[in-house]
Amino acid sequence: MSYLDLSIREIHQALVEKKTTPLELAKEALERAKANNDNAFEMLLEEEAILEASKLVEPEEDNLLWGIPYCLKDNFSTKGFETTASSNVLNGYVPLFDATVVSKLKEKKCVLIGKTTLDELAMGGTGTTGHKGITFNPYDPSHTHMVGGSSCGSAAVVAAGIVPFALGSDTGDSVRKPASYAGLVGMKPTWGRISRYGLFPFAPSLDHVGFFTRDVEDSAILLEALSGRDDMDSTSSFRPVDSYLPKEKSLKGKRIAVLSEIVDAISNKEVRASFDRAVKAMEDEGAIIDYVKFGLQDLEAIYATYIVISCAEATSNDANLDGIKFGAYHGGKTYREVMSNARTEGFSHLIKRRFIIGSFALMRENVDVLFTRAQKVRAKITARVNEILKDHDTIFLPAAPSPAPLLSASSDALSDEYLIADNHLALGNFAGLPSVTVPLSFVDGLPIGVNFMCRAFEEKELYNLASAFEKISGLAGLSTVSPKEARL
Amino acid sequence: MNFEAIIGLEIHVEMKTASKMFSGSPNTFTREPNTCVTPFDMAYPGTMPRVNKQAVINAIRVANALHMEIDPLVRFDRKNYFYSDLPKGFQITQQFHPIGKEGYLEILGKDGELKRIGIERIHMEEDTCKQLHFADYSLLDYNRAGVPLVEIVSKPDLRNGTEAMRYVEAIRNIVLYSGTSDGKMEEGSLRCDVNVSIRPYGSKGFGTKVELKNLNSTKNIELALDYEIARQTACLLSNREIAQETRRYDEASGKTVLMRVKTDAVDYKYFPEPNIAPIQLSMEFVQNAIDTCPELYDSKLARYLQNGLSQTDAEILLSNIDMASFFEEATVKDPKLSKIIANFLIVEINAYLNKNGIAMNTLGLNPETLSDIAAFQDAGYTHKQCADILNYVLENGGSAEEARLAKHIEKQSDNASEVLAFVTGVLDANPQSIEDFKAGKDRAKGFLIGQVMKAAKGKVNPAAVAKVMDEELAKR
């Protein structure tokens, strides 16, 4: 245990009292990073971090993030530092500008320790497809279970206690699912709450900036720092930024919807039992639990709808990666050859498969039955989610049907369980609603999490609920460095 | 068999906004290549489009001038294709919901009758980068990437080259006078794609469409279409098929030349742009864009005619927007002087511009000075005198009064009794000349007038002198 393992507020207190310094924190984070063997880093920024941290001498008492070390998924643009999104197509690409969230954390004097791995171009949920290979789960020294993705490296570095927080991105569940597998608080707010400027797009209508922390209050501190209108992202909201720090932590009278088809589809008895205990404990605290039927057909349609929309948008967003302007260049006699060589060499076959699906869905002869239909299904599902949230304060579910799966397990299995219980976090992306994963318990020594989703821009309510839940679970501050006893 | 041509035009207009359609980089033609570029223009990952408000205002103004229905919910879509001049691999355009639809424009047909040409749509989009191809390499200039465009698509209502030319002229006048664009075809800020097919008169179907490109003047549009219609007619009459192809106009030979045969139309895989949320324009915003639109060509023409200008003079002034605006500034002080001012602009100032090879907007003349010079002419100075004053000011600067004094120009009297006194005096002193005149020697009259001018030291108006001289000679 060290100051690095405390909550952000506690670290801040120690910094203000000069019990530790940003430089000490950065050095320790770097040491832990170098000792870690989960393959979580694209790039460690050792010299830069030490340089920046040593400039931070006088603590800013009103800035909770002053001097806090952090890591960044390698799909956020960083001025002057190679950013590849774990894809060979972007090898050598050094951006000319910082993503808005990076600028904001710079202003807060956070210290960037390193850039973390991801599934190639953030497309994937296993943490196995980036150009640096598999990123492992810190809870599994045997390296047989995944940490999940696509924000695999960011999940691993926070779970391994290297940094108190790390940024990720979430298009389907790329922060909130790995948060479940890595025992973390994984948050994505309302679409438009945080600027996406500088986040490499996967599917902009579904993309969100998200982040991993070890407790709910840390998450709220970050949201406050990262939120707000940004003219560089015209989809960012003009709504004033709230204070998100959880205050009212009672569950009394809260109306909580549990989607019964999803819970019923879970085959892992321990996950189910743990979740049921959680429901019971919340009821004991005065929450009103409603088991709501969402509509099986719509739930089954989530995966296909997601694949069609996300692949269609991705094939267009990544059309800029042609070797002409930046990124890896592989020669060619004509512009067609240059583009074709860059893309053939640069993308893995999984990415090409997504582009083909996306192009196919947009083709003139298919667009009505695939893309346009998917848009309609998305609208229908969104309407259903909002309908449920009209009568309930939140939708509460297991974040995943199981702890982190084996790396050897097929990721293509389209079982009922997979379709219904492994993809529901995308509801939050379809509807653009705030959604947070919080640790629930352990199964076979691996963490599992639950997820809360609230109405648009009700992040404050979301954090109140998550914070109350954290009190019940007893898992605030969890990492492999500071293990906790599960209660549920 | 007689054929009629079916012609439709797609016009791309580059807008002269301060910044680009979706980024903050300057929008200008004149800078060094690749100096007006932001990360967005080069499609760096993570950059996002920001809609240019002035471009929306311009598009509304043009749509209104074309009598179109304006959609206050502004939406954009992606047109996806790979090409070396397209940085993002897609163009942001308005495929599904153009800002304007269902409009029309009235032009003078070949027969002199007013003809209404339907306009299908007007939408906003962004330009590609400029390519320069060499033998074994190509250069890309991203200054043009993202320049705002409006595309205006006509219905297939045009029937011959002259109509097409007049349609383009009318569109150019609208974009020019609304302040949307400088509308220069030769510089590519107004670009025309023409579709033309022919069919037997009375037939309802359509023939095979040929696309014409490389039309860099309105005159070339007329010439290219006249040629192409004749070519297609000859094809059909000799039983040859018309191929679906793209042809370019070759100025030297006056012919259209095959560029490429069209295969199946490209599938652009359009879908809504997810990085621009639909923008709901208020009715006030739309109305304000329309109300603040600079006065358009037709309205100015009507006003000039009302102020006494001839149709020809008005059209000459309006053919140069800088001259028209100079004219308006010069006539503010005294609109009664319009005709005189127009005359100076069309004759003396145009001659001066041509002689010195300069443009109207760099002419160092104050409009008020021209107004003062016109006031001299109105007050009785001769046109010749005033032209001398004007030329002096053009060469040396200064005010009209300073020029008059410098050139020692005095007002010539046309006071009848004053003139009569001089004439009578000269006639009395030159009886021989009167006799010569009576004997048919016209030259004698010139001599007599000269004597009068001499006696009056140039202060009488020669025209008035000539008139009185005629009257007095008749009496003797």
Side-chain angles (χ1 to χ4, degrees), chain A residues 281-404:
Chain A
M282 290 167 82
E283 260 178 333
D284 291 347
E285 298 255 323
I288 304 151
I289 309 286
D290 272 344
Y291 283 84
V292 177
K293 279 206 180 305
F294 190 89
L296 196 58
Q297 221 189 347
D298 286 343
L299 289 176
E300 282 170 348
I302 292 174
Y303 181 69
T305 304
Y306 173 74
I307 286 292
V308 167
I309 293 174
S310 66
C311 291
E313 289 187 22
T315 185
S316 168
N317 291 313
D318 288 323
N320 62 337
L321 306 176
D322 56 14
I324 291 181
K325 304 158 293 261
F326 49 79
Y329 175 76
H330 293 276
K333 289 199 196 76
T334 63
Y335 82 88
R336 278 172 184 276
E337 271 183 36
V338 169
M339 287 178 164
S340 175
N341 292 346
R343 295 172 70 80
T344 304
E345 298 291 322
F347 296 123
S348 74
H349 89 277
L350 285 170
I351 297 297
K352 290 172 193 161
R353 195 170 71 165
R354 294 214 187 219
F355 291 164
I356 290 167
I357 293 170
S359 290
F360 185 79
L362 287 171
M363 278 165 67
R364 199 182 287 131
E365 54 268 49
N366 304 328
V367 67
D368 286 344
V369 290
L370 289 175
F371 185 74
T372 310
R373 192 194 213 170
Q375 298 276 52
K376 285 178 188 157
V377 174
R378 176 180 178 179
K380 185 169 175 248
I381 289 173
T382 297
R384 179 67 184 130
V385 171
N386 287 326
E387 191 187 355
I388 292 169
L389 284 173
K390 230 184 253 168
D391 305 326
H392 298 90
D393 297 305
T394 189
I395 294 175
F396 177 64
L397 289 166
S402 69

Side-chain angles (χ1 to χ4, degrees), chain B residues 240-252:
Chain B
R240 275 177 291 138
E241 227 173 275
I242 294 167
Q244 190 181 339
E245 58 194 28
T246 301
R247 302 175 72 86
R248 69 179 173 82
Y249 181 63
D250 181 64
E251 217 171 340

